Amino acid sequence: MRQLNISIPKTITKAGIIFALLFTFFFASPALSQKPVELHPEVGDTIDLIEKLDYLLFTEIPDSLFDHGALTQNGEDYQLKVWHDGNTSEYGISAEEFEKYSGNVEKLSTYYQRQKEKLQAATKKSLVIKSDSIPPGLDIEWMSEKQKSKMIKESRRYNNLKLEADEMGLMGFDREKYIRTGGQMEFPLGH
């Protein structure tokens, strides 16, 4: 088998390398700098309409013109590219606005987490009978069918009276009295 030796002049090789480096520097660097920037770990680098609404982001852009957006760094400031119905728009975002929006996400995500924890704590402390304390269908061994039926009937009656009292505009003691007396209201007769 014959081996083919091809020699490339060193001047072409050096010129090629220099050209490749310059090409990479001038054309690839802007593409690398266009990498999306993460506003906050909670929302990531692409922000959708729900996140925009939930975290009060980019208030200068109407919600009706925003499907999703991505931020890129543009020197000291940022560029927001917004997509809506297949079209794109770009908006300048200052470093101060970026910090403000990042702060919004931080504050509101903390607030939403606290609300979730409060709801979970309230559910655990609730005095309402838990589903595990009464099996579905009220199959309590010690209750007869008659007792179960009466309990269901009384529950419906109570809720209906409560609804009627609300519809009548009764409040406070009058409301409770109406519910306790089974819907009978006492009206004093004028003498």
Side-chain angles (χ1 to χ4, degrees):
M1 191 171 218
R2 265 177 77 193
Q3 205 172 12
L4 187 63
N5 287 334
I6 300 175
S7 64
I8 300 173
K10 290 185 179 186
T11 56
I12 293 176
T13 306
K14 288 180 183 179
I17 291 173
I18 291 172
F19 176 75
L21 288 173
L22 289 174
F23 180 81
T24 303
F25 180 73
F26 286 111
F27 294 105
S29 293
L32 292 174
S33 68
Q34 296 300 312
K35 182 180 170 191
V37 175
E38 190 174 86
L39 178 65
H40 188 277
E42 189 73 24
V43 295
D45 61 6
T46 302
I47 296 136
D48 64 21
L49 179 60
I50 301 299
E51 291 169 331
K52 178 186 183 306
L53 296 170
D54 284 351
Y55 296 109
L56 307 173
L57 302 175
F58 317 120
T59 53
E60 67 278 0
I61 303 168
D63 299 337
S64 61
L65 300 177
F66 190 99
D67 290 336
H68 64 280
L71 286 162
T72 55
Q73 188 132 21
N74 186 9
E76 293 286 318
D77 294 329
Y78 298 87
Q79 193 73 23
L80 174 65
K81 189 171 188 177
V82 174
W83 287 268
H84 174 67
D85 288 341
N87 298 319
T88 59
S89 304
E90 293 192 6
Y91 301 88
I93 303 292
S94 69
E96 293 81 24
E97 288 174 309
F98 182 90
E99 290 302 318
K100 178 183 100 173
Y101 292 136
S102 181
N104 282 3
V105 176
E106 182 67 31
K107 289 175 193 171
L108 288 168
S109 63
T110 302
Y111 171 78
Y112 294 146
Q113 183 61 36
R114 283 186 190 147
Q115 294 300 349
K116 183 179 176 183
E117 290 168 2
K118 283 181 185 178
L119 181 63
Q120 289 171 343
T123 303
K124 288 179 184 176
K125 293 179 184 177
S126 176
L127 297 176
V128 176
I129 297 172
K130 303 285 186 199
S131 61
D132 60 347
S133 63
I134 296 180
L138 299 175
D139 289 334
I140 302 172
E141 294 176 16
W142 51 269
M143 286 182 79
S144 69
E145 287 300 316
K146 188 175 179 182
Q147 289 172 319
K148 291 177 194 176
S149 172
K150 183 176 181 182
M151 188 168 78
I152 291 169
K153 182 180 172 186
E154 287 299 316
S155 174
R156 285 186 186 140
R157 180 185 153 284
Y158 176 80
N159 286 325
N160 287 334
L161 289 170
K162 224 168 61 169
L163 182 62
E164 287 174 18
D166 290 342
E167 288 174 352
M168 292 171 59
L170 298 175
M171 295 168 53
F173 178 74
D174 289 335
R175 181 176 184 267
E176 291 303 314
K177 186 175 179 183
Y178 182 84
I179 293 168
R180 274 190 279 127
T181 59
Q184 300 170 10
M185 286 294 291
E186 297 177 18
F187 295 98
L189 298 175
H191 294 287

